[in-house]
Amino acid sequence: MLTKRGLIEFCLTFPGAYEDYPFDDDPGSAQAWAVLRHRANKKAFAFIYERGGAVNINLKCDPMFADLLRGAYPAVTPAYHMNKVHWNTVKVDGSVPEQEIYTWIGQSYDLIRPTVKRKK
């Protein structure tokens, strides 16, 4: 089973990713929301927290794909406390394969990562 710390560590493997606690939470607290961002633009790609005794992760998602995932997995719902069109909450309860969650984290990261401007 994936843990909160394990998900954070995986997110930190992406280039430029860093861990933030912007909600004045004690990072050691189980209730703290860890926000994973990209250093270059400060945009978040994952919000990891515990709620109702379960680890949850909010991930940015293409709106059409977000609806597809919500229909395929009961553990995937419109994001808690976020834009429900572009963000999903995944309850990490073992019902979604770990590899799927890792893939979705990568897709969320790809949606927020800075684009490289080409010189003319």
Side-chain angles (χ1 to χ4, degrees):
M1 175 87 62
L2 294 172
T3 65
K4 181 178 175 182
R5 189 74 235 161
L7 287 167
I8 292 168
E9 293 299 326
F10 178 76
C11 290
L12 291 173
T13 66
F14 290 91
Y18 72 98
E19 183 178 358
D20 187 17
Y21 291 87
F23 305 117
D24 296 326
D25 293 328
D26 171 15
S29 164
Q31 303 306 315
W33 281 53
V35 180
L36 284 297
R37 301 178 184 272
H38 194 288
R39 243 176 240 301
N41 61 12
K42 311 293 188 250
K43 289 186 178 182
F45 65 96
F47 293 76
I48 305 170
Y49 57 97
E50 291 183 29
R51 181 169 174 249
V55 174
N56 293 271
I57 182 168
N58 290 359
L59 298 168
K60 190 162 184 138
C61 193
D62 173 82
M64 291 182 64
F65 191 55
D67 281 339
L68 179 74
L69 295 178
R70 293 171 193 168
Y73 297 100
V76 179
T77 58
Y80 178 69
H81 276 303
M82 312 238 354
N83 180 310
K84 311 255 185 275
V85 174
H86 296 278
W87 290 83
N88 276 342
T89 292
V90 181
K91 185 175 183 179
V92 183
D93 62 3
S95 66
V96 177
E98 289 182 18
Q99 191 55 49
E100 287 289 303
I101 295 172
Y102 293 144
T103 298
W104 300 340
I105 292 169
Q107 291 169 347
S108 182
Y109 174 84
D110 288 343
L111 287 170
I112 64 89
R113 78 171 175 215
T115 56
V116 177
K117 295 181 181 176
R118 295 183 180 182
K119 292 183 181 180
K120 292 182 180 181

